[in-house]
Amino acid sequence: MSNNRLATALKSCEQNGEKAFIPYIMAGDGELSSLKEQLLFFEQQGATAVELGIPFSDPVADGPVIQRAGIRALNNGTTLKKILEELVSIREDVSIPLIFMGYSNSILAYGIGQFVTDCVKAGIAGCIIPDIPVEEEGLFAPIQEAGIHLIRLVTLTSSKERIAEIAETAQGFIYAVTVTGITGAREAFGSEVGAYLEQVKEISPVPVLAGFGISTPEHVRSATKYCDGVIVGSKIIESLEQNRKQDIIELIQASKKQVQQ
Amino acid sequence: MSKYVQPDQTGHFGVYGGRFVPETLMHAITELEEVYEQAKQDPEFQKQLDYYLEKYIGRETPLYFAEGLTKLAGGAKIYLKREDLNHTGAHKINNTIGQALLTKRMGKKKVIAETGAGQHGVATATVCALLNLECIIFMGSEDIRRQKLNVFRMELLGAKVVSVSQGSGTLKDAVNEALRYWVAHVEDTHYIMGSVLGPHPFPVIVRDFQSVIGKETRKQYLEEEGRLPHAVVACIGGGSNAMGMFYPFVEDESVRMYGVEAAGHGLDTALHAASLTKGKPGVLHGAYMYLLQDEDGQIQEAHSISAGLDYPGVGPEHSYLKDINRVTYTSVTDEEALEALQMLSKEEGIIPALESSHAIAYGFKLAKQMKQEEGIVICLSGRGDKDVETVQARLGGSEHE
């Protein structure tokens, strides 16, 4: 698995003393034909990887911003098949590691075997399936067997024992959810979140990235004090919606400033 | 049939069921599983449950010999299990009272639930009023428009009704939003799932609380006829009244079981709710089960004249019982259900819910083909008062012309 692009990118962050920054975008939100351009933007701005959402009709883990992006993508006629075809066709032009974020039914309907074959062709480095706990990973085992990281989530409601169980055989990174809730913006960064991230960090053999509700450079700086990086979703999608690329650049910079200033 | 023990330790009925939920909910559903296991062993809990079932809900409900309907069919004897006579008019409350008592036991003070037509919402609001629990009901904006009276009923009972406009603004979207709310308020809130759906242990809990239907039926039929019925029939949306009726008969090999889905405008149209007949397995709302979905795995809208059957999936245990061929799953159109509703009203003086009318329609057809010395039980899951307006609109003025 050492040739996994995501593993390599995370390793180089660590070696450079940087924090990882992974933006989330919804595939097909703003036509699939613009996907290459979107990915290259993040690559040029120094993002570590891109998390690419697969639109689903019933996204229970997502807040309003990502729900709307999913509906726009579906209304554009986006399907998992078209996403994978597009990724295969732009593979040579994009080098930033790609992680799929998709609900289990999208993958099962595609067929797990075909999904894995096509992900390998498209150069997918990791998959996040937000509606499965470790107990239901069995159906998705071929993903890991193909060398694609199946990234696990831990949450504020996970006990210490459970975090240990989840982390023990974790791949890629641990996605530490920093709100008890769904994706979307939040106010401040509670002090208990720092303690929680430290705890996860202490247990985890792989890097720990914080996500859900991270929407300002301040959040990015606060979170990265305790862990190895952040994932930003709703705020990225909003900024793309409003064409405020500068906001995105500032978020990415916030993950780097500790070393660059 | 040999001993039937389902689900397994991990909450799977064969390949179906499971716990397809965000990690945030794992703690809550594990806690629920533990509390439920303890409650099942606790005679005090059972006593409390029995007390409310008898004194508050009015159980046991009669097993009624429908003589008029039997004569009309000219075949097997038709018995009706009168779940329509429960407090609030349907079987839904068998489950909500049980889960509300579990909520108390967990020390939680707030309850959320989803509702489509409003029956489960009303049954939940009712027990929350009774047991002093705060109650929030999630309901699709489209359903709120169609079911204004039930919204008012829930509000009278002290519940807060939250309108869900995401997605298609119907039942499945209400479940999504209730799950999202639960993820964010899991510490002090219990989610009363309304059918044999959702992540383990919900399908087991709802089945067990609804099993009072089948247990009573089995005992009553034995007393009445000195033997078991040849067949039992129930309608299926998510599948809770059917599971409650079937479960106590599962090991009685001689008893044939029929689950009746809503065929809406017809199975050859896109407008139906026949998940078992026309769907394929997938994951929705926490469980692996038969689902109406397109090739890309997007969940499709279900259609039925009866809002209670209007759900694009069917419980994991039904999915399993279909695959092992223990239950025969079939379907009935809107048109046939409407005819059955009128037939039962005129023959027996009982206006059945549109949901239950699907079971009546199929049960009647079935009885016709059977011998006079045989007997069947149809689960009359709810009364039809709530549907009178829909039926009137559908039949138009023709009755008066």
Side-chain angles (χ1 to χ4, degrees):
Chain A
M1 306 234 182
S2 53
N3 59 358
N4 183 298
R5 277 201 227 182
L6 175 63
T8 311
L10 289 169
K11 190 101 210 148
S12 97
C13 269
E14 197 193 330
Q15 281 164 353
N16 300 335
E18 281 181 10
K19 300 294 182 177
F21 186 96
I22 302 184
Y24 170 99
I25 56 172
M26 179 64 78
D29 180 18
E31 302 295 333
L32 275 175
S33 53
S34 64
L35 187 58
K36 179 174 146 184
E37 189 195 325
Q38 289 176 340
L39 295 177
L40 288 176
F41 166 72
F42 290 113
E43 191 173 309
Q44 281 148 15
Q45 294 306 323
T48 314
V50 173
E51 192 182 318
L52 196 56
I54 302 168
F56 179 50
S57 54
D58 296 77
V60 290
D62 286 309
V65 172
I66 296 181
Q67 286 177 44
R68 281 200 302 273
I71 290 168
R72 284 194 299 266
L74 289 173
N75 290 343
N76 283 340
T78 309
T79 62
L80 180 51
K81 189 157 185 288
K82 288 182 186 166
I83 296 169
L84 280 159
E85 282 167 2
E86 183 63 20
L87 289 175
V88 170
S89 79
I90 63 173
R91 185 173 180 183
E92 299 303 321
D93 309 315
V94 177
S95 58
I96 192 165
L98 300 178
I99 304 163
F100 263 147
M101 165 97 156
Y103 288 86
S104 46
N105 201 53
S106 302
I107 297 169
L108 294 172
Y110 197 86
I112 185 70
Q114 193 62 46
F115 175 72
V116 168
T117 306
D118 293 351
C119 279
V120 169
K121 274 191 220 155
I124 295 293
C127 279
I128 300 168
I129 310 173
D131 61 341
I132 58 161
V134 281
E135 284 81 356
E136 301 295 346
E137 279 179 4
L139 284 175
F140 303 91
I143 294 176
Q144 292 162 296
E145 288 157 14
I148 298 169
H149 291 328
L150 185 59
I151 289 153
R152 293 174 173 171
L153 296 93
V154 300
T155 68
L156 289 159
T157 59
S158 314
S159 66
K160 197 174 175 184
E161 295 72 32
R162 187 157 171 92
I163 293 173
E165 185 195 329
I166 292 169
E168 199 183 351
T169 50
Q171 297 181 311
F173 61 88
I174 287 273
Y175 191 140
V177 176
T178 58
V179 288
T180 301
I182 52 180
T183 59
R186 73 151 100 225
E187 291 299 312
F189 216 82
S191 62
E192 81 283 2
V193 174
Y196 153 76
L197 288 174
E198 271 177 340
Q199 187 185 53
V200 180
K201 183 75 190 110
E202 197 175 304
I203 298 172
S204 175
V206 293
V208 175
L209 272 64
F212 280 42
I214 293 175
S215 61
T216 66
E218 190 47 45
H219 290 161
V220 174
R221 281 188 285 269
S222 304
T224 49
K225 275 183 215 156
Y226 307 102
C227 65
D228 305 300
V230 290
I231 299 156
V232 182
S234 298
K235 184 64 190 181
I236 296 280
I237 286 176
E238 255 175 8
S239 304
L240 288 173
E241 258 174 9
Q242 298 159 3
N243 204 19
R244 296 170 63 94
K245 290 207 166 149
Q246 192 52 39
D247 289 359
I248 298 177
I249 293 168
E250 281 167 22
L251 283 165
I252 299 178
Q253 286 308 313
S255 71
K256 302 188 181 299
K257 279 202 174 137
Q258 287 105 325
V259 285
Q260 287 178 350
Q261 276 194 343
Chain B
M1 183 167 184
S2 54
K3 193 106 186 102
Y4 178 87
V5 186
Q6 293 290 343
D8 65 16
Q9 290 289 320
T10 59
H12 291 84
F13 303 87
V15 297
Y16 300 103
R19 287 171 286 192
F20 291 82
V21 291
E23 171 65 20
T24 307
L25 289 181
M26 281 305 286
H27 176 69
I29 61 179
T30 312
E31 177 193 25
L32 177 61
E33 189 180 1
E34 281 162 13
V35 169
Y36 178 59
E37 285 306 317
Q38 289 162 5
K40 258 202 315 201
Q41 312 297 330
D42 180 358
E44 271 307 304
F45 181 83
Q46 285 307 325
K47 215 173 102 184
Q48 215 182 7
L49 179 62
D50 290 344
Y51 169 81
Y52 286 114
L53 287 175
E54 182 192 338
K55 305 288 184 192
Y56 187 69
I57 296 174
R59 301 203 72 94
E60 61 183 37
T61 59
L63 181 69
Y64 166 71
F65 172 51
E67 201 176 348
L69 203 60
T70 301
K71 276 194 184 134
L72 192 66
K77 277 181 148 181
I78 301 172
Y79 282 85
L80 303 175
K81 180 59 174 167
R82 297 292 307 274
E83 290 302 300
D84 60 320
L85 296 178
N86 285 323
H87 177 44
T88 68
H91 71 289
K92 290 288 183 190
I93 199 164
N94 299 332
N95 167 48
T96 59
I97 187 69
Q99 287 203 51
L101 291 172
L102 285 178
T103 308
K104 287 279 210 192
R105 206 178 159 94
M106 287 185 285
K108 293 187 172 178
K109 297 193 164 48
K110 191 161 59 177
V111 155
I112 55 168
E114 82 292 345
T115 199
Q119 296 311 108
H120 175 56
V122 169
T124 303
T126 300
V127 296
C128 287
L130 174 72
L131 298 174
N132 296 314
L133 292 162
E134 187 187 337
C135 179
I136 305 175
I137 304 292
F138 292 84
M139 189 168 181
S141 51
E142 187 56 26
D143 289 332
I144 286 184
R145 193 183 59 74
R146 292 190 288 204
Q147 302 284 342
K148 285 197 193 83
L149 265 183
N150 267 342
V151 174
F152 185 62
R153 255 181 213 124
M154 289 183 266
E155 287 169 351
L156 267 183
L157 292 160
K160 185 178 155 203
V161 180
V162 175
S163 172
V164 178
S165 53
Q166 282 95 330
S168 50
T170 59
L171 178 58
K172 80 176 176 70
D173 308 288
V175 178
N176 290 340
E177 206 50 27
L179 282 169
R180 290 184 188 115
Y181 183 94
W182 198 30
V183 169
H185 299 86
V186 65
E187 303 292 346
D188 67 345
T189 303
H190 176 60
Y191 183 0
I192 299 193
M193 186 66 73
S195 193
V196 284
L197 298 165
H200 178 68
F202 282 110
V204 174
I205 291 178
V206 178
R207 173 193 77 190
D208 290 356
F209 286 137
Q210 291 295 358
S211 289
V212 66
I213 302 173
K215 277 184 207 151
E216 285 179 8
T217 300
R218 201 173 182 283
K219 181 177 83 69
Q220 290 167 321
Y221 198 95
L222 276 170
E223 280 166 9
E224 197 75 28
E225 293 283 338
R227 55 158 302 152
L228 291 174
H230 293 78
V232 293
V233 182
C235 66
I236 297 197
S240 70
N241 90 85
M243 212 52 243
M245 176 59 96
F246 295 165
Y247 186 58
F249 288 104
V250 159
E251 292 177 4
D252 298 314
E253 237 170 292
S254 67
V255 180
R256 284 176 286 149
M257 304 198 279
Y258 297 89
V260 187
E261 295 192 297
H265 290 215
L267 293 182
D268 49 352
T269 72
L271 302 176
H272 61 76
S275 320
L276 282 167
T277 318
K278 300 284 278 188
K280 63 173 186 178
V283 173
L284 182 67
H285 300 148
Y288 189 66
M289 59 184 172
Y290 276 88
L291 285 178
L292 297 178
Q293 54 181 317
D294 70 12
E295 273 192 5
D296 191 37
Q298 310 300 342
I299 308 305
Q300 291 171 317
E301 281 301 299
H303 288 272
S304 168
I305 188 170
S306 113
L309 303 183
D310 211 342
Y311 181 76
V314 66
E317 192 162 13
H318 286 297
S319 301
Y320 175 73
L321 290 169
K322 173 191 161 81
D323 281 10
I324 64 164
N325 292 313
R326 178 61 187 97
V327 177
T328 305
Y329 292 94
T330 175
S331 64
V332 151
T333 63
D334 287 352
E335 213 51 53
E336 293 170 293
L338 270 169
E339 278 168 29
L341 181 142
Q342 295 170 82
M343 174 175 71
L344 194 69
S345 302
K346 283 175 186 149
E347 287 301 325
E348 298 287 351
I350 299 169
I351 303 177
L354 276 168
E355 291 78 7
S356 324
S357 300
H358 288 72
I360 303 288
Y362 186 78
F364 184 76
K365 270 197 279 190
L366 181 70
K368 255 184 172 173
Q369 299 155 10
M370 291 170 64
K371 299 188 197 105
Q372 288 189 354
E373 56 273 24
E374 295 179 319
I376 70 168
V377 178
I378 304 173
C379 187
L380 183 52
S381 56
R383 67 174 183 229
D385 307 46
K386 69 181 178 60
D387 295 319
V388 168
E389 240 181 316
T390 309
V391 174
Q392 188 188 28
R394 188 66 178 255
L395 298 177
S398 64
E399 298 287 284
H400 308 286
E401 279 165 15

